[in-house]
Amino acid sequence: MNATRVLVLNSGSSSVKYQLLDMRDNSRLAVGLVERIGEETSRLKHTPLHCGGQARESNGPIPDHEAALKAVSAELAKDGLGLDSPELAAIGHRVVHGGRSFTEPTVIDEAVLAEIERLIPVAPLHNPANLTGIRTARALRPDLPQVAVFDTAFHTTMPESAARYAIDVRTADEYRIRRYGFHGTSHAFVSRATAELLGRAPEDVNVIVLHLGNGASASAVEKGRCVDTSMGLTPLEGLVMGTRSGDLDPAVIFHLARVGGLSTDEIDTLLNKRSGLIGLCGDNDMREIRRRVDDGDERAQLAFDIYIHRLRKYIGAYYAVLGRVDAVAFTAGVGENAAPVREAAIAGLQELGLAVDAGLNAVRSDEPRLISPAGARVAVAVVPTDEELEIATQTYALVAPK
């Protein structure tokens, strides 16, 4: 019997998220999270799904990622799903930054590890943690194929006119400064799922994907290929986010350094952790912001208006980039659940063929669905993202017997 299971690992600096999937039917067998690794208050939450089992939780110190993955393996083994199972075909790893080196999922070897490590300067918060997870998993199962799936890969199809910044070419090339984009697994999944919702092939559809969570990004997808995206060298560029500023005049940084006396690290913290919605109104939870708006809170209203203004600018810009738009798809936590955000983002764009049906928009569902009126020139959709399934699919396609 061919092995058909894929374990998906998303290793952060102090956490490991995981899902075990069976690729025969894309079913989830187990999901879980290890958090606060390296602290006395470490916690492992594990839910077996294949047998309708109850969620389990354990607390206590988990010193490092090796201990975390061993604990995950032990939990899976309790359900007959251990890492030593002959049905496990591969482990798929989320890797945030693949630079220009990786344009597709890649079986991991020492050369791949070295290149991911070389890219740490352009992803100092993410790639080191991703590497730790990979090395730990390889030590536990050195015989098993392990695959890196890169957040940036989907965006490597951008033309140079979209990917390059207008700075000195030699300097840009020397320091690998260009627009890479992120959330690529989500944009890939949602753009294809949107085409399926329309009953068309991805190669026949132009889609604007709006991935709106605490981190947020937009992409212009032409015939299944990304031609532009809002995040750049780092995830800081683009839309207003939960704690990130998004687009900003770079001279603000010089001003803060020269006039405000802020250090580089202080500016980095300001723009990445104390800006966006939380910087504007003190909250980065859209549900709380909308509650405050409904109560007449002016700061919350301004934060919401700035968020929507930036979002509408990108919808318009990507409409121009694509020339023809078949669908606008909302996804991720805010995009899937915040009906007021979807309504406000599309309001007034009727001349572009965009409209939202209030009744359809108010429906809550875990299924992909259209929220535009019947007969609308451009479909507006809500498409739940599934990055873990996308990683598992790409991983299995690479290692499955041909």
Side-chain angles (χ1 to χ4, degrees):
M1 181 178 69
N2 291 332
T4 59
R5 295 175 183 172
V6 173
L7 177 64
V8 175
L9 294 179
N10 181 353
S11 300
S13 57
S14 61
S15 67
V16 175
K17 296 177 185 178
Y18 63 93
Q19 291 195 13
L20 181 66
L21 298 94
D22 190 326
M23 303 315 295
R24 288 176 296 184
D25 57 4
N26 295 340
S27 61
R28 282 170 175 75
L29 304 178
V31 301
L33 167 67
V34 187
E35 54 188 347
R36 299 195 289 268
I37 295 172
E39 301 179 22
E40 290 295 317
T41 56
S42 303
R43 180 171 61 172
L44 191 159
K45 295 187 289 186
H46 174 86
T47 304
L49 301 175
H50 70 302
C51 57
Q54 295 294 312
R56 302 192 294 268
E57 183 174 317
S58 59
N59 297 276
I62 298 177
D64 52 34
H65 282 69
E66 180 179 2
L69 283 185
K70 286 181 177 178
V72 169
S73 180
E75 289 297 327
L76 289 169
K78 291 176 185 177
D79 306 310
L81 305 170
L83 294 189
D84 58 351
S85 169
E87 296 181 66
L88 186 60
I91 298 176
H93 297 267
R94 179 196 181 211
V95 180
V96 167
H97 215 309
R100 301 183 72 183
S101 306
F102 301 107
T103 61
E104 55 190 16
T106 304
V107 174
I108 297 167
D109 58 20
E110 290 303 320
V112 170
L113 285 172
E115 184 61 16
I116 295 172
E117 189 165 17
R118 192 178 73 87
L119 288 164
I120 285 176
V122 291
L125 300 179
H126 298 96
N127 275 29
N130 299 156
L131 276 169
T132 298
I134 291 170
R135 286 177 171 140
T136 302
R138 291 182 85 212
L140 291 175
R141 280 298 307 269
D143 58 312
L144 194 69
Q146 310 223 11
V147 175
V149 178
F150 300 90
D151 273 13
T152 50
F154 183 63
H155 304 303
T156 58
T157 55
M158 284 192 296
E160 286 292 278
S161 56
R164 277 200 176 271
Y165 292 109
I167 66 173
D168 173 66
V169 171
R170 287 189 202 170
T171 303
D173 288 348
E174 181 178 356
Y175 296 104
R176 302 192 293 280
I177 298 171
R178 61 186 288 112
R179 303 185 64 251
Y180 294 102
F182 299 90
H183 295 147
T185 52
S186 177
H187 286 281
F189 179 88
V190 171
S191 59
R192 287 200 314 274
T194 302
E196 182 178 341
L197 181 64
L198 298 180
R200 299 164 65 180
E203 297 77 19
D204 296 332
V205 176
N206 290 355
V207 184
I208 297 172
V209 178
L210 304 172
H211 177 108
L212 307 179
N214 192 50
S217 60
S219 68
V221 183
E222 182 179 46
K223 299 178 180 179
R225 293 166 58 86
C226 177
V227 295
D228 207 348
T229 193
S230 58
M231 287 179 169
L233 174 72
T234 76
L236 182 59
E237 186 181 357
L239 301 174
V240 175
M241 303 174 226
T243 65
R244 299 182 190 127
S245 65
D247 291 338
L248 188 78
D249 180 350
V252 170
I253 297 169
F254 312 145
H255 180 80
L256 290 171
R258 292 169 181 158
V259 178
L262 274 68
S263 69
T264 302
D265 287 344
E266 288 173 327
I267 296 171
D268 190 317
T269 298
L270 170 69
L271 298 182
N272 278 290
K273 297 182 179 179
R274 296 196 291 113
S275 294
L277 292 171
I278 204 164
L280 289 167
C281 71
D283 273 310
N284 64 330
D285 187 322
M286 185 58 71
R287 294 165 297 188
E288 179 62 18
I289 291 170
R290 284 304 310 174
R291 185 197 64 75
R292 289 172 56 186
V293 168
D294 292 341
D295 288 344
D297 188 307
E298 293 184 0
R299 282 185 64 195
Q301 183 68 65
L302 178 60
F304 184 79
D305 290 346
I306 292 171
Y307 182 95
I308 295 297
H309 179 75
R310 186 79 56 84
L311 188 55
R312 286 163 57 87
K313 281 177 65 174
Y314 269 91
I315 293 172
Y318 286 171
Y319 206 118
V321 167
L322 291 168
R324 186 200 85 237
V325 175
D326 299 294
V328 174
F330 289 87
T331 193
V334 174
E336 294 170 29
N337 298 297
V341 168
R342 300 191 296 260
E343 179 184 7
I346 299 300
L349 301 181
Q350 289 88 347
E351 291 297 318
L352 299 179
L354 289 161
V356 165
D357 179 283
L360 295 175
N361 190 37
V363 173
R364 296 185 69 87
S365 172
D366 293 331
E367 298 298 319
R369 61 199 185 276
L370 295 177
I371 60 171
S372 45
R377 190 167 85 242
V378 179
V380 180
V382 180
V383 180
T385 191
D386 197 331
E387 295 175 87
E388 289 78 14
L389 176 58
E390 180 69 16
I391 291 170
T393 300
Q394 293 189 28
T395 296
Y396 191 65
L398 199 59
V399 304
K402 301 300 187 284

